[in-house]
Structure formats: structure tokens, C-alpha cells
Amino acid sequence: MEREELHDLLEQLWDRYDREEFISADPIAVPHRFASRDDREIAGFLAATIAWGSRPMIVRNGLRMMHFLDDAPHDFVRNASERELAKLSGFVHRTFNGGDLIQFVRSIRAICERHGGLGRFVEASYASTGDMRRVLAAFREEFFRTEHPERCRKHVSSIERGASCKRLCMYFRWMVRHDDRGVDFGLWRTIPPSALYLPLDLHTGNMGRALGLLARRQNDWRAVEEITAALRTFDADDPVRYDFALFGAGIDGFLK
């Protein structure tokens, strides 16, 4: 496919999938239930954390998780008593269980107390480094400053170990990107969309390879950098907007 043809295809697919109709079937539906920045940051991070498996199950369990948090995630994180925290033990999504959720609430609370919120930490980290790769590493380090069981660490990927960090990249996309489409939130305005990296998963990886955007076979951080660099040649200011094009087409069987 010629470059111009590929660009036209990406634009057509972006226009098809970057729409409000996309929201209800996607994990981003969970933070969309809330209006405040604080609620959306926390709900978004927790929904992104469990974003593996089938999308209907992710959305269903994400909404169920919010019910465990009294459908007021910021207030619950900041003020829940030990007795209220213990009630979270009944939650489970695949290998993410109630104990993990309790620890995640504790870690989010600690970041809120130290920095004023998840977004404020991320924005400050980007302001000091100008590099989202370093922000990804700093976020994980800060998150696990709070005492935690070792098993919890597997639920936040490590860029320093070469992981694709798909769920964190997706969360950052939700919080940073802003346009008139109404899907992403654009809450973290001090971070430019140009700094983002593609949330690389099975669908975006397969579509990227089929379209000649990605040669690397592994879905690791080196592949994230490769495909994001390719997308920046089509839109340097907002390369990750093509996440919708690649993921949506992959889900809908574009390659079949």
C-alpha cells in the first residue's frame, strides 16, 4: 500500500471509530460515568488496570468495581475506613482480586496525599522530564512506594523490564488526549498528545504489522516505540489518535 493510500485508510478508520458510540462497549465507559476530574482519574486508572480479557467482561467488572467503591471513587479512596476497605475483598477480575483492589486503593490514597492526585503526579513528572517513558517508570515506582504484597506488582507493567505498558499507555491516552469527539477526557492539559505512546495489544499489533507500520514480532516496548514512531509520520501532534483506527478495525475483523 502506498503511503498516501495508507494515510487515507487510517483517517477513514479513525473517523469511523473515534466516536461517542465507541464508549459504551469500551473500558473508557467506566470513567465516563463520572463528571469530576478526581473521580475520572481514579475510575480510569482502576478500569485500565483490569483491561485484559473480553471487553464486555472488562466493562461489566469495571462498573462492578465502582459499585464496591460506593460509586464515588475519589471519596472512597480518600476516606474509606479499614472496615469499608475490607468489603472490597469480594471483588475479582481474573487474577486481580479483592486484596489487590484494597492495596490499589491504599496506593492511590498515598499518591493523592503526597501529590494531590494521580494526574498531578503525572503532570509534574512530565514537566520535570519531558519524556513519557520516564513518566511511566516514575509512576510505577511512586505507586509501589506504599507497602504492598509482592503479587500486586504484576498489575502495573514495568517499562524498565521492556513491557509494552499497554494499560498505562491507554490510561494516559484517556487523560491527555482532547478533541471534539467526546471519547477521551483531555484532563491533563500540560502534557501534549504528541508525547503519548500507542497502547499496543493483540489487535493494534496485528493491524500495525499488516499495514506495514510495525515489523517487530513481539508486543513489547521496542514495538511500542516502533509503531508510535510510524504513526507520528502521519500525525506528529497526535499520533495515538490512530489507536481507534487500529484497535477498532482489528476488533471488527478488518484483516479477515
Side-chain angles (χ1 to χ4, degrees):
M1 185 179 296
E2 296 294 330
R3 176 180 171 78
E4 193 62 34
E5 292 178 306
L6 176 55
H7 190 194
D8 289 344
L9 176 61
L10 288 171
E11 291 294 325
Q12 292 169 18
L13 292 172
W14 166 76
D15 184 58
R16 179 186 304 175
Y17 293 108
D18 186 10
R19 296 177 176 270
E20 289 188 3
E21 296 90 330
F22 174 88
I23 294 172
S24 62
D26 190 79
I28 201 173
V30 178
H32 264 287
R33 291 194 61 234
F34 304 98
S36 76
R37 168 177 169 141
D38 290 331
D39 280 333
R40 284 176 167 177
E41 284 183 352
I42 292 171
F45 174 65
L46 291 173
T49 296
I50 65 166
W52 82 98
S54 73
R55 286 201 299 163
M57 178 175 65
I58 295 165
V59 174
R60 183 171 61 251
N61 285 341
L63 295 174
R64 182 167 169 261
M65 185 193 298
M66 295 304 105
H67 185 65
F68 270 87
L69 303 182
D70 296 335
D71 290 310
H74 179 251
D75 181 68
F76 188 96
V77 164
R78 296 305 302 268
N79 300 307
S81 66
E82 288 300 311
R83 183 176 180 182
E84 289 169 321
L85 284 174
K87 294 178 181 179
L88 304 182
S89 60
F91 179 80
V92 63
H93 172 82
R94 303 188 70 159
T95 63
F96 187 90
N97 62 27
D100 296 318
L101 180 55
I102 291 170
Q103 183 55 51
F104 268 56
V105 169
R106 294 188 192 280
S107 291
I108 296 170
R109 177 182 291 176
I111 291 176
C112 289
E113 290 173 348
R114 289 193 292 262
H115 304 282
L118 295 175
R120 287 174 177 80
F121 172 78
V122 174
E123 287 186 295
S125 183
Y126 183 79
S128 66
T129 66
D131 187 338
M132 289 304 292
R133 294 168 295 187
R134 294 175 66 183
V135 174
L136 285 164
F139 183 88
R140 188 174 191 269
E141 180 180 2
E142 182 69 16
F143 191 78
F144 289 120
R145 276 183 59 188
T146 304
E147 186 176 353
H148 59 276
E150 183 63 25
R151 61 160 282 122
C152 290
R153 299 184 70 85
K154 66 183 179 182
H155 295 302
V156 182
S157 297
S158 172
I159 188 174
E160 294 174 317
R161 295 184 178 180
S164 69
C165 301
K166 173 249 180 175
R167 288 171 285 173
L168 273 182
C169 286
M170 182 174 68
Y171 173 55
F172 287 1
R173 189 206 89 200
W174 293 351
M175 297 295 121
V176 170
R177 284 196 73 254
H178 51 90
D179 55 27
D180 60 357
R181 294 299 184 106
V183 180
D184 292 323
F185 296 109
L187 297 177
W188 301 348
R189 292 299 183 96
T190 64
I191 301 174
S194 60
L196 295 172
Y197 286 86
L198 186 80
L200 182 65
D201 66 2
L202 176 67
H203 301 290
T204 55
N206 287 345
M207 281 295 299
R209 292 180 184 95
L211 296 177
L213 299 167
L214 177 62
R216 187 168 175 79
R217 294 185 178 184
Q218 293 175 262
N219 283 346
D220 57 9
W221 186 256
R222 287 174 61 187
V224 172
E225 292 197 320
E226 180 185 339
I227 194 169
T228 303
L231 293 174
R232 285 191 177 119
T233 68
F234 295 103
D235 189 340
D237 293 329
D238 190 11
V240 173
R241 72 182 175 94
Y242 294 119
D243 182 30
F244 301 108
L246 299 176
F247 180 80
I251 283 286
D252 287 346
F254 182 85
L255 296 176
K256 294 180 180 179

